[in-house]
Amino acid sequence: MTILIDQPELIGSRAEDQNLQEQTNELVLDGGFVVPKTMPNDGFVAPEINSFGKTFRDYNAECERQKSVEEFYRLQHINQTYDFVKKMREEYAKLDKAEMSIWECCELLNEVVDESDPDLDEPQIQHLLQSAEAIRKDYPDEDWLHLTALIHDLGKVLTLPKFGGLPQWAVVGDTFPLGCAFDESNVHDKYFKENPDSNNPAYNTKNGIYTDGCGLDNVMISWGHDDYMYLVAKENGTTLPSAGLFIVRYHSFYPLHKEGAYAHLMNEEDKENLKWLQVFNKYDLYSKSKVLVDVEKVKPYYLSLIEKYFPAKLRW
């Protein structure tokens, strides 16, 4: 699938978020999907503050939740190494943890709260539905995008005992490449100095073990729910377009899609799919709210999308 967006520059800073919101109104999609040039009057409007009264993704605000978030990133940055990610990919590629439907997995997320998120402490199923419903308002005809929003965080079941009971630092939080130098745009990047990979000369240059334009498929990204859900979707034969799978796999890769770091590693397909990820991010980030979605009311619609794009049962 080919995606074209007017003014497709990478977003270089959070100050440019408004420019991104303006660009999303100019989406043109090739491959059978048509996105409206203008948003409906009752479309989603991004709030300025989160449910805690702070600005979104403010990792320096003084509050109790911020302290736990920083401790999370300290552990993540120390423990996510190239060898660790390689081991996790091999283990979870077996897809031998469970067999269940997409909706059954959604319900499991009632047991999960993301400790890395400074903007929300509600069960994850609410975040999934809030994101999906916000996108649905603005792009009512793009059902693949609604479903992508619904499933994008399902990999967080990795924290549950049945799926290995991984610590939160191995499941959630911003993602980043291993095998090359850690970029300063990573949240709380000071803790990378304690990561064993920092002592490996092969990993300490801009490219490290990679080459310019090698493609993100060939880059080892920190392990977590993104890569796991991508693996589950792909190996179970989803018919979601490539842009949907890209969103699932890299939606936590904030150093790239918000700061423009590591862009030299992308190939042309990555650059096209990144445009959709930048559109999606508005809804992923700003839809988080204490106003809860009526699950039973919207459930039939999302069940119909699951039936369209996924088999009835998946291996996890």
Side-chain angles (χ1 to χ4, degrees), residues 3-6 22-30 33-39 139 142 144-145 272 275-276 279-280 283:
I3 300 170
L4 301 176
I5 298 180
D6 292 347
E22 293 171 359
Q23 290 169 26
T24 62
N25 291 334
E26 296 300 321
L27 253 174
V28 178
L29 185 58
D30 167 354
F33 304 111
V34 180
V35 178
K37 283 282 188 178
T38 58
M39 297 299 177
Y139 303 109
E142 316 321 312
W144 67 272
L145 192 55
E272 289 300 312
K275 298 165 187 175
W276 260 120
V279 170
F280 170 83
Y283 304 93

Side-chain angles (χ1 to χ4, degrees), residues 263-281:
H264 61 288
L265 299 176
M266 292 192 296
N267 59 24
E268 291 306 312
E269 183 179 5
D270 294 331
K271 293 174 184 177
E272 289 300 312
N273 284 331
L274 178 64
K275 298 165 187 175
W276 260 120
L277 175 52
Q278 290 176 318
V279 170
F280 170 83
N281 178 250

Side-chain angles (χ1 to χ4, degrees), residues 59-60 70 73-74 76-78 174 176 181-195 198 255 262:
Y59 291 93
N60 297 309
E70 180 167 355
Y73 275 106
R74 186 185 72 83
Q76 186 207 45
H77 292 353
I78 293 172
D174 290 6
F176 47 87
F182 299 114
D183 192 88
E184 63 182 10
S185 65
N186 287 291
V187 174
H188 296 304
D189 67 298
K190 61 186 177 183
Y191 294 117
F192 282 123
K193 66 180 183 293
E194 300 178 57
N195 186 304
S198 295
Y262 306 106

Side-chain angles (χ1 to χ4, degrees), residues 12-51:
S13 69
R14 294 181 179 85
E16 294 176 276
D17 281 351
Q18 184 60 41
N19 289 338
L20 173 59
Q21 292 173 24
E22 293 171 359
Q23 290 169 26
T24 62
N25 291 334
E26 296 300 321
L27 253 174
V28 178
L29 185 58
D30 167 354
F33 304 111
V34 180
V35 178
K37 283 282 188 178
T38 58
M39 297 299 177
N41 292 332
D42 61 348
F44 175 70
V45 177
E48 295 182 0
I49 59 174
N50 64 20
S51 57

Side-chain angles (χ1 to χ4, degrees), residues 168-212:
Q168 291 248 339
W169 60 259
V171 179
V172 298
D174 290 6
T175 57
F176 47 87
L178 286 306
C180 61
F182 299 114
D183 192 88
E184 63 182 10
S185 65
N186 287 291
V187 174
H188 296 304
D189 67 298
K190 61 186 177 183
Y191 294 117
F192 282 123
K193 66 180 183 293
E194 300 178 57
N195 186 304
D197 285 1
S198 295
N199 299 320
N200 187 335
Y203 298 161
N204 286 333
T205 62
K206 182 179 180 180
N207 280 351
I209 62 174
Y210 310 113
T211 58
D212 285 356

